[in-house]
Amino acid sequence: MTRALILGGTADASLLAEAVARAGIVAVYSYGGRTRAPAEQPLPTRIGGFGGVSGLADTIRREGITHVIDATHPFAAEMSRNAVAACAETGTPLIALERAPWTKVPGDNWIDAADVTAAAAVLPEAQANVFLAIGRQHIAPFAMKPQHTYTLRFVDPPEAPLPFAADVIVSRGPFTLDGELEMMRTRGIAWIVARNSGGDGARAKIDAARMLGLPVIMILRPELPRRRRVESLTDVMQWLGHSTRLGA
Ligand code: 3Y8
Ligand code: NAP
């Protein structure tokens, strides 16, 4: 009897939860608890950390989990690493549902950066209008360049004071091309900082930057341990022993 744990928190994970619920597979959906009002899921849902590798291993044993699907974000590296370790420790099958990174197309002007600190170092010394589309958790390194006029975008309003002066857009996405073009034009954005998240939910800002001829400082994905990895929902369902026949 399958009992799946979905490590979620992304648009792809929500689509997977729908397919799993429709197939009648017993499963639980897990959020890390980063946002105040995460989207409802059609599955029993838990919110918050497990307590590291041992906490996740205990949860797997206690709940009788038979399959783990890591459908977290490509930058949720700690969660993904913990899932690999806990599944190895408990001998639980694990699969990662991970969208392909965005790739450059003609007209893209990307500057790769290994991490957020490297991204901040790329910014010029002269004052510029900069859009940081990297969420709330990792913005501190930009305090080293306070001369810029920053626009940030968060899912929820900031609770603590920001490490530097900035204007915050509160929006959960997914985002539209027209909305991104409008925002960048009205704010005179000259630089965009983004993570190579892949997927459609955040791609619009990359397309808008190309259309406006703006440079994107693209933060590369963290290295993750080797694990079974697929990009499609169908592959996950087959792995769970359920084909998703059209209209099924
Ligand atoms: C809590 C679940 C859906 C889900 C929407 C996707 C699309 C919009 C793109 C920009 C980039 C960013 C951020 C982003 C994207 C989708 C998707 C995606 C980027 C929610 C969600 C949770 C989170 C957590 C949140 C992080 C933050 C990152 C904002 C729900 C809405 C910047 C990632 O305030 C915070 O603390 C936010 C934290 C982790 C990165 C960070 O470090 O700040 N996502 N995002 C998940 C949990 O608790 O487990 O609230 O419903 C999910 C989505 N985020 O249903 O369509 O790709 O899936 N989320 C990045 O790409 O760099 C926004 O603004 O252009
Ligand atoms: P992270 O840094 O990799 O994880 C830090 C810790 O948060 C994990 O060790 C775990 O705590 C807890 N955690 C993370 N995701 C969890 C989940 N789905 N269920 C239960 N606990 C979870 O993670 P993050 O980058 O902050 O991302 C947190 C969540 O936001 C994830 O669900 C991710 O899919 C979603 N998200 C992240 C991004 C992003 O850019 N990082 C973008 C969109 C959505 P314990 O060690 O205590 O178990």
Side-chain angles (χ1 to χ4, degrees):
M1 158 82 163
T2 303
R3 283 181 63 79
L5 169 64
I6 299 175
L7 302 174
T10 60
D12 298 337
S14 298
L15 293 172
L16 174 65
E18 244 178 80
V20 162
R22 206 172 41 239
I25 299 169
V26 174
V28 62
Y29 188 96
S30 181
Y31 277 118
R34 289 286 176 287
T35 57
R36 283 195 317 200
E40 288 282 304
Q41 295 298 335
L43 293 171
T45 299
R46 62 176 298 292
I47 299 183
F50 297 97
V53 174
S54 59
L56 177 53
D58 290 349
T59 302
I60 288 170
R61 291 189 188 99
R62 190 178 59 248
E63 308 284 326
I65 298 296
T66 59
H67 295 75
V68 175
I69 302 107
D70 177 358
T72 62
H73 190 275
F75 281 79
E78 193 180 349
M79 186 68 259
S80 294
R81 289 184 187 118
N82 289 2
V84 170
C87 288
E89 183 184 314
T90 57
T92 311
L94 166 69
I95 195 166
L97 174 58
E98 188 181 81
R99 56 268 180 116
W102 296 315
T103 48
K104 269 185 7 184
V105 299
D108 276 331
N109 172 9
W110 293 0
I111 300 134
D112 286 349
D115 55 31
V116 184
T117 304
V122 169
L123 285 175
E125 286 311 316
Q127 188 280 336
N129 297 344
V130 180
F131 173 40
L132 299 185
I134 52 170
R136 171 187 67 170
Q137 301 184 94
H138 308 290
I139 57 172
F142 291 93
M144 73 165 126
K145 298 218 170 151
Q147 67 270 34
H148 297 306
T149 304
Y150 288 107
T151 296
L152 308 181
R153 183 151 64 192
F154 289 178
V155 177
D156 295 319
E159 285 129 10
L162 298 173
F164 47 84
D167 185 34
V168 178
I169 299 172
V170 178
S171 173
R172 124 187 337 257
F175 308 100
T176 64
L177 180 59
D178 288 347
E180 303 292 57
L181 285 167
E182 167 73 17
M183 182 270 290
M184 292 179 188
R185 284 192 178 117
T186 50
R187 291 167 181 263
I189 299 296
W191 290 83
I192 289 105
V193 181
R195 289 162 160 176
N196 199 328
S197 312
D200 305 329
R203 155 115 237 171
K205 61 180 176 279
I206 307 301
D207 297 334
R210 181 174 60 252
M211 289 169 71
L212 297 172
L214 299 178
V216 176
I217 302 173
M218 186 64 82
I219 299 169
L220 304 174
R221 292 183 175 189
E223 283 298 307
L224 293 178
R226 277 183 52 70
R227 68 242 163 102
R228 183 195 294 263
R229 173 197 177 282
V230 294
E231 292 180 9
S232 88
L233 183 59
T234 310
D235 291 346
V236 176
M237 295 304 283
Q238 277 165 1
W239 179 75
L240 285 170
H242 289 258
S243 63
T244 46
R245 289 180 307 286
L246 286 181

